[in-house]
Amino acid sequence: MSDAPHIPVLLDEVIAALDPQPGDVIVDATFGAGGYTRALLERGAIVHAFDRDPDAIDEARGWSEARTSPPRLVLHPRRFSEMVEALSDAGIAQVDGVAMDIGVSSMQLDQAERGFAFSADGPLDMRMSQQGESAADFVNSADAGTIADVLYQYGEERQSRRVARAIVAARPLSTTGDLARVVRKALGHKPHEPKDPATRSFQAIRIHVNDELGELREGLLSAERLLKAGGKLAVVSFHSLEDRIVKRFLREASGAGRAVSRHLPGELPSAPPVFGKVSKAIRPGAAEIDRNPRARSSVLRHAIRTDAPARKEAA
Ligand SMILES: C[S@@+](CC[C@H](N)C(=O)[O-])C[C@H]1O[C@@H](n2cnc3c(N)ncnc32)[C@H](O)[C@@H]1O
């Protein structure tokens, strides 16, 4: 693990939104360094913690709450899109709260060998779960059109075709340094520019390799299925692509948006809202950003589950 542990983002606001009571069962969908989990345990909750990164879960195995009988901390080394199934295996059909803190942890970013960062050279990996297609597999095998689409959709890279052509011409790429150099050369990086132009491509490839947006959509729907009436959902996201998904989900789930069928023209008859009391976007204050610059772009949205049945089809 890195020397700089992950500092939980918007912790007080997330805990206030979840309002955990002793004995409540809460899912921490993104354990990371366990910042949220620790605060939930301190308030007497029983926590089911998920992380697809086996290193994150290994750090928690020694926690005393994971060793009590029955444990107050139950660890699930898997994707949060599988939370309904994982809790059902544990004999749990409903929970009081779900917290999601989307994205990568400081430990993942700071360890060069995980291949997320271009500030230090490491293998071009970027897999949170340490299995499946790596960033190197993707950039070395996909065609230029596919790479360009990923850079455009997930990195909002306006010169996606130019960058994709440069990547294909420079293959094989094996390190984060290789990729950063190719992108900078294609876009003409000036050393004094405040933002490295490789940032957008790294974000895009990371989102693709980990199917982060698909996971987020599936995670929100899973929370809808799992939360009991009055149960609380709190989601922290880190960039506009994610926040757009959360905002749209909550708008439609609370009946504020119009449900349009994929298959039939016109609007569907409005279903009863499955979430209410949807918060506005909550952002960190200046003091938190000073303490933890990585909190800068975070946004929290929270809501409360109604007693309406979960919807059958994805919004
Ligand atoms: C921003 S960190 C969470 C930090 C945590 N809230 C804390 O206070 O320490 C995000 C974590 O979620 C994990 N993660 C991201 N997407 C995931 C998914 N789809 N399923 C399970 N874990 C995921 C990452 O591996 C990472 O460890």
Side-chain angles (χ1 to χ4, degrees):
M1 283 288 139
S2 81
D3 297 337
H6 184 94
I7 305 172
V9 168
L10 289 164
L11 175 65
D12 293 344
E13 292 82 351
V14 167
I15 298 301
L18 294 172
D19 187 25
Q21 304 299 313
D24 276 1
V25 177
I26 311 242
V27 171
D28 180 351
T30 49
F31 178 80
Y36 294 177
T37 288
R38 193 170 288 114
L40 293 166
L41 290 168
E42 278 166 11
R43 282 160 182 77
I46 295 160
V47 180
H48 282 258
F50 287 75
D51 205 297
R52 71 199 297 189
D53 186 340
D55 286 357
I57 293 291
D58 282 348
E59 287 286 306
R61 292 201 194 277
W63 287 28
S64 57
E65 294 87 346
R67 290 154 173 252
T68 56
S69 178
R72 283 215 300 125
L73 170 60
V74 184
L75 300 166
H76 300 273
R78 55 200 292 188
R79 288 178 287 135
F80 59 60
S81 55
E82 300 168 339
M83 69 172 97
V84 174
E85 192 189 334
L87 289 207
S88 152
D89 290 349
I92 295 173
Q94 286 196 315
V95 300
D96 299 282
V98 175
M100 301 170 78
D101 181 14
I102 302 305
V104 278
S105 67
S106 298
M107 293 83 68
Q108 290 165 332
L109 280 175
D110 293 344
Q111 285 181 308
E113 65 273 23
R114 299 298 304 272
F116 286 101
F118 49 87
S119 46
D121 208 6
L124 191 52
D125 191 319
M126 302 195 199
R127 294 169 300 177
M128 294 184 198
S129 62
Q130 305 181 24
Q131 47 180 284
E133 182 190 49
S134 70
D137 294 336
F138 173 64
V139 297
N140 289 326
S141 65
D143 59 57
T146 306
I147 296 174
D149 287 347
V150 165
L151 300 180
Y152 184 73
Q153 283 171 26
Y154 300 151
E156 300 178 285
E157 173 55 69
R158 282 195 298 260
Q159 305 211 54
S160 56
R161 291 191 186 285
R162 176 194 288 261
V163 177
R165 277 198 303 271
I167 288 174
V168 169
R171 296 201 288 219
L173 306 179
S174 57
T175 67
T176 53
D178 290 345
L179 177 62
R181 275 188 293 277
V182 171
V183 178
R184 286 178 195 139
K185 193 162 165 232
L187 296 176
H189 181 217
K190 298 172 197 70
H192 52 271
E193 257 181 315
K195 197 164 178 188
D196 193 313
T199 311
R200 295 185 294 274
S201 296
F202 270 72
Q203 171 187 302
I205 294 169
R206 191 199 91 200
I207 289 177
H208 169 74
V209 163
N210 294 289
D211 184 23
E212 290 180 40
L213 303 185
E215 276 291 308
L216 174 56
R217 285 191 200 93
E218 204 44 55
L220 291 167
L221 286 165
S222 304
E224 175 179 328
R225 284 183 213 126
L226 265 183
L227 283 166
K228 60 171 67 154
K232 298 167 180 104
L233 173 66
V235 188
V236 174
S237 63
F238 282 85
H239 51 74
S240 54
L241 293 171
E242 294 166 348
D243 186 48
R244 221 174 286 155
I245 291 173
V246 179
K247 190 173 162 184
R248 180 171 170 219
F249 171 83
L250 288 175
R251 197 174 57 218
E252 293 181 357
S254 63
R258 286 151 190 257
V260 177
S261 166
R262 286 190 197 147
H263 314 293
L264 299 167
E267 287 171 27
L268 292 173
S270 53
V274 286
F275 279 99
K277 298 204 172 145
V278 177
S279 76
K280 292 213 161 57
I282 298 166
R283 295 172 205 278
E288 175 164 1
I289 297 172
D290 260 8
R291 234 180 18 250
N292 181 16
R294 280 181 183 162
R296 203 180 322 110
S297 48
S298 59
V299 184
L300 163 67
R301 294 183 189 271
H302 57 83
I304 298 188
R305 184 75 170 84
T306 67
D307 58 5
R311 294 163 299 169
K312 288 211 170 53
E313 194 178 318

